[in-house]
Amino acid sequence: MVRMRSLFAAVMLASIYSLLMAAIFVVLDAVDVAFTEAAVGAGISTVLMLGTLALTTNREKDPAHKPLLPLLVVTITGAALIYGTLDFPAFGSPDAPVHSELSRRFIEKSGEEIGIPNIVTSVLASYRGYDTLGETTVIFTAGIGVAFILWRQRRRHKRKGGRKT
Amino acid sequence: MAWLAPYNYWIFVFLMMIGLYTVVARGNLVKKVIGLNVFQASVILFYVSMGKINGGTAPILTGDPDTVYSNPLPHVLMLTAIVVGVATTALALALVVRINDAYGTVEEDEVQEMDRAS
């Protein structure tokens, strides 16, 4: 995916990567995240990228210089992160600090307080409702941004075409 | 074998390194956006794997008091992250289309060269 010169193949591999990621999320009990990733990551992102390829180009040029500095930066970042994980709790351990009061309260009380069996939905739409409102604001802003960027381009195209004829 | 226990984080670190390398080393702007998506998926994997409990099940109430549920909180946060991620991807790709319209190329080197020349 990284070394591929054909961008179409790279986009397809990215889509497959997203789908595999969704399968891993199902194994990790995150069913809601899994179907969002499959729909949004493997679906909409791929469509957007294919649209971009259709509007630009499908081929990537060969890099001008050797990627030694980026390799060094990436290796140092990775080594630092792995050093940071050394005293993390073991994978799947039930007494990790993540599973402390807050999520235990959600699991115990959300059934009677909200009345929806899916805890993720209760937290998303009720306990963290403002968070979701902010999320939709971000999406709205991004949508306006995309519309303005592409709208200005279309207008300039029209003006250019008008001058030619 | 205790030092092998947080291996899920190492998978995340490996995927993150691939994504970061793609963002930093590749000159093609579409490739950079793909790298960002790989990076983002790896961070989501990091959060979701933190919420997993051995022997747990998906956080949907079964009515049985003995059921062990995986932590629902990282799932909620990552749902938001995925959707915001696709919004930023759309914005980035719109900018790529706009750059291609202005410069006639999506390679970073050529864009910078044109900027220097003008």
Side-chain angles (χ1 to χ4, degrees):
Chain A
M1 179 151 62
V2 181
R3 301 185 57 85
M4 190 90 58
R5 287 285 168 269
S6 162
L7 288 175
F8 178 76
V11 169
M12 280 302 143
L13 281 177
S15 174
I16 293 171
Y17 168 80
S18 230
L19 205 59
L20 286 176
M21 211 47 129
I24 294 175
F25 292 154
V26 174
V27 176
L28 290 174
D29 297 339
V31 280
D32 302 82
V33 183
F35 70 64
T36 312
E37 174 76 23
V40 169
I44 298 177
S45 286
T46 311
V47 171
L48 289 174
M49 285 190 191
L50 288 180
T52 311
L53 292 192
L55 287 173
T56 58
T57 172
N58 185 24
R59 299 298 303 179
E60 182 189 13
K61 300 208 172 62
D62 287 327
H65 36 73
K66 288 220 169 70
L68 282 179
L69 184 65
L71 269 180
L72 187 72
V73 169
V74 168
T75 314
I76 290 175
T77 315
L81 282 173
I82 287 191
Y83 174 70
T85 62
L86 285 183
D87 54 353
F88 268 34
F91 174 57
S93 87
D95 40 48
V98 194
H99 314 301
S100 56
E101 292 88 23
L102 187 58
S103 44
R104 195 174 305 135
R105 191 188 175 285
F106 284 148
I107 289 171
E108 283 165 3
K109 290 279 170 62
S110 75
E112 52 186 85
E113 280 180 352
I114 314 293
I116 303 171
N118 190 337
I119 303 171
V120 174
T121 310
S122 313
V123 178
L124 186 78
S126 182
Y127 293 109
R128 299 187 67 92
Y130 281 116
D131 204 3
T132 309
L133 181 67
E135 172 200 334
T136 38
T137 314
V138 169
I139 298 164
F140 181 63
T141 315
I144 293 178
V146 171
F148 268 113
I149 290 169
L150 295 182
W151 176 65
R152 284 194 52 181
Q153 181 190 10
R154 177 105 34 94
R155 201 177 51 179
R156 256 176 31 142
H157 265 303
K158 261 187 202 158
R159 214 185 292 156
K160 255 188 223 163
R163 227 178 277 158
K164 264 179 205 161
T165 48
Chain B
M1 293 298 272
W3 61 276
L4 264 178
Y7 65 92
N8 57 320
Y9 303 118
W10 302 343
I11 298 171
F12 142 73
V13 169
F14 178 66
L15 291 174
M16 191 226 76
M17 283 165 74
I18 296 176
L20 186 63
Y21 175 78
T22 318
V23 174
V24 177
R26 292 285 129 178
N28 189 290
L29 293 174
V30 178
K31 200 57 104 37
K32 276 182 196 286
V33 177
I34 294 177
L36 268 183
N37 274 347
V38 173
F39 197 131
Q40 185 209 359
S42 81
V43 175
I44 292 167
L45 179 67
F46 168 65
Y47 269 77
V48 167
S49 72
M50 269 198 306
K52 170 75 179 167
I53 296 179
N54 281 337
T57 177
I60 298 170
L61 296 174
T62 52
D64 179 9
D66 292 335
T67 321
V68 179
Y69 300 108
S70 287
N71 195 337
L73 199 54
H75 302 179
V76 176
L77 300 179
M78 286 311 103
L79 276 181
T80 312
I82 290 177
V83 177
V84 169
V86 82
T88 52
T89 303
L91 198 60
L93 289 174
L95 283 172
V96 170
V97 170
R98 183 75 182 79
I99 287 172
N100 182 65
D101 186 55
Y103 291 88
T105 175
V106 289
E107 301 286 335
E108 195 186 25
D109 300 348
E110 297 174 4
V111 170
Q112 281 175 342
E113 229 160 74
M114 281 182 212
D115 273 349
R116 243 175 266 134
S118 63

